[in-house]
Amino acid sequence: MLYQAVMALGLGALSLSAHAQWPNRPITIVVPAAAGGTTDIAARVLAEKMGQDLGTSIVVENKAGGGGGIGTAQVARAKPDGYNLLMGNIGPVAINFSLYKKLSYKASDLRGITNVISVPNILVVHADSPVRNVQDLVKLAHSRPLNVATSGVGQSPHMSSEMFRQKAGIDVNLVPFPGAAPAVTALLGQQVDYMIDNLPSSMPHIKGGKFRALAITSAERSAQLPDVPTMTEAGIPMQVTAWFGLLAPAGTPDAVVQQLQQSAHKAMQTPEVRAKFAALGGVPGGESPAQYDQFIAQERQRWAVIVKTAGLSLE
């Protein structure tokens, strides 16, 4: 009995020692979308500060495709040691579970660390477009078929575009791209008529005069774009908030998850990160792992109702 007790204490000390040594090599944050979008921007802003705090380098790896499912599945199957993280978002972490008939990962394969940033979506057209407001766009859609860029199947821009189409009573051709950056490029090249995008990836082009913002999906106007009406003000009653946050494979030790959450929260409190997020029109997160898990569960239920009502289903 004494030998067993000593062994148990020894194993416990060894486990604690292993956790205490974390991290002792680079950490990877997988972004399940193309470079240049909000998921990517949030990951890179956070990685720099968290790397400094944790004393290690944090590598951001883009794994786009499958509505965010490819990158998400990679992390879901990864070793739960704190070195494999996901910058998840509303698409692969919540919407996909009701949108896709089959997924290569389960909700139970991931655990939340903390929400990082929440942003509204924005309806934009090219600055050279004759469309000046939402009603102009609706009228144009009734006169000819419109092509709409969406960044990722099942992502919040795609679902917002579907919601807008239904509520505006128009038929459009949705053109999916693997991420926000290629979708934005398509609109910059006037290959499509409009897009609904996460605000951060379109903001530079709105500020730079390349895009004209018609409406925002938040409940209130953005402080960064005070002259842009909400969708409701523009006559389309819809509200969508996109969110982006850190997750880890299920089984990642609690002590490691807590340390990651504390480091992320610390980073989000710095003036530099808060200023960057504010410039993007975003609100920083920082919730505890338990709070984030609860929030994600609620979002999965909420979007399941929206997807079912819309009659959407993908293979």
Side-chain angles (χ1 to χ4, degrees):
M1 292 292 291
L2 179 60
Y3 173 77
Q4 292 175 338
V6 170
M7 285 297 294
L9 286 172
L11 289 172
L14 181 63
S15 176
L16 288 173
S17 175
H19 291 166
Q21 293 172 4
W22 178 92
N24 56 22
R25 56 187 173 87
I27 296 169
T28 297
I29 297 179
V30 173
V31 171
T38 306
T39 318
D40 182 67
I41 294 170
R44 294 181 189 279
V45 168
L46 206 61
E48 180 182 0
K49 288 294 181 183
M50 287 182 65
Q52 294 171 2
D53 179 59
L54 295 171
T56 190
S57 60
I58 298 182
V59 179
V60 176
E61 179 183 343
N62 296 89
K63 281 282 183 179
I70 294 175
T72 302
Q74 176 180 314
V75 176
R77 293 190 296 263
K79 187 176 181 180
D81 55 8
Y83 294 101
N84 303 282
L85 309 179
L86 174 74
M87 180 57 76
N89 61 55
I90 191 173
V93 177
I95 297 172
N96 282 7
F97 290 99
S98 53
L99 182 63
Y100 285 87
K101 292 180 180 178
K102 292 182 180 180
L103 286 177
S104 56
Y105 58 96
K106 305 185 299 295
S108 58
D109 290 337
L110 297 164
R111 63 178 301 182
I113 297 173
T114 191
N115 198 19
V116 173
I117 184 173
S118 297
V119 301
N121 289 334
I122 190 88
L123 171 60
V124 290
V125 296
H126 194 277
D128 292 339
S129 170
V131 172
R132 313 298 299 185
N133 53 52
V134 171
Q135 293 309 313
D136 282 351
L137 184 63
V138 172
K139 288 178 183 177
L140 185 62
H142 285 308
S143 69
R144 67 172 176 85
L146 300 184
N147 293 317
V148 185
T150 67
S151 54
V153 176
Q155 306 284 358
S156 68
H158 171 216
M159 300 303 291
S160 294
S161 299
E162 286 281 3
M163 194 180 298
F164 177 75
R165 178 183 65 79
Q166 293 175 27
K167 291 185 177 296
I170 58 176
D171 288 323
V172 296
N173 301 315
L174 296 181
V175 184
F177 290 86
V184 165
T185 299
L187 186 58
L188 285 170
Q190 302 187 64
Q191 299 166 14
V192 293
D193 295 292
Y194 73 90
M195 72 178 293
I196 296 181
D197 187 25
N198 296 143
L199 181 57
S201 43
S202 276
M203 182 72 87
H205 305 292
I206 296 170
K207 294 290 189 181
K210 296 291 182 67
F211 287 173
R212 179 180 302 121
L214 304 184
I216 197 165
T217 65
S218 50
E220 298 179 353
R221 296 191 182 198
S222 168
Q224 301 297 318
L225 300 169
D227 295 330
V228 177
T230 66
M231 281 286 196
T232 301
E233 289 175 330
I236 309 295
M238 60 177 279
Q239 291 181 23
V240 177
T241 299
W243 47 265
F244 308 80
L246 283 175
L247 297 97
T252 302
D254 289 344
V256 172
V257 170
Q258 290 294 338
Q259 193 170 343
L260 283 164
Q261 188 276 337
Q262 290 167 9
S263 180
H265 183 267
K266 181 178 178 181
M268 285 183 276
Q269 295 306 307
T270 62
E272 300 96 320
V273 172
R274 295 186 73 85
K276 286 180 180 178
F277 282 5
L280 295 171
V283 177
E287 295 89 337
S288 70
Q291 289 171 330
Y292 192 38
D293 276 334
Q294 184 179 22
F295 169 76
I296 291 171
Q298 292 171 345
E299 283 288 277
R300 286 174 184 150
Q301 292 177 355
R302 184 171 81 90
W303 280 100
V305 173
I306 294 172
V307 170
K308 183 178 179 180
T309 302
L312 299 174
S313 181
L314 299 174
E315 294 294 338

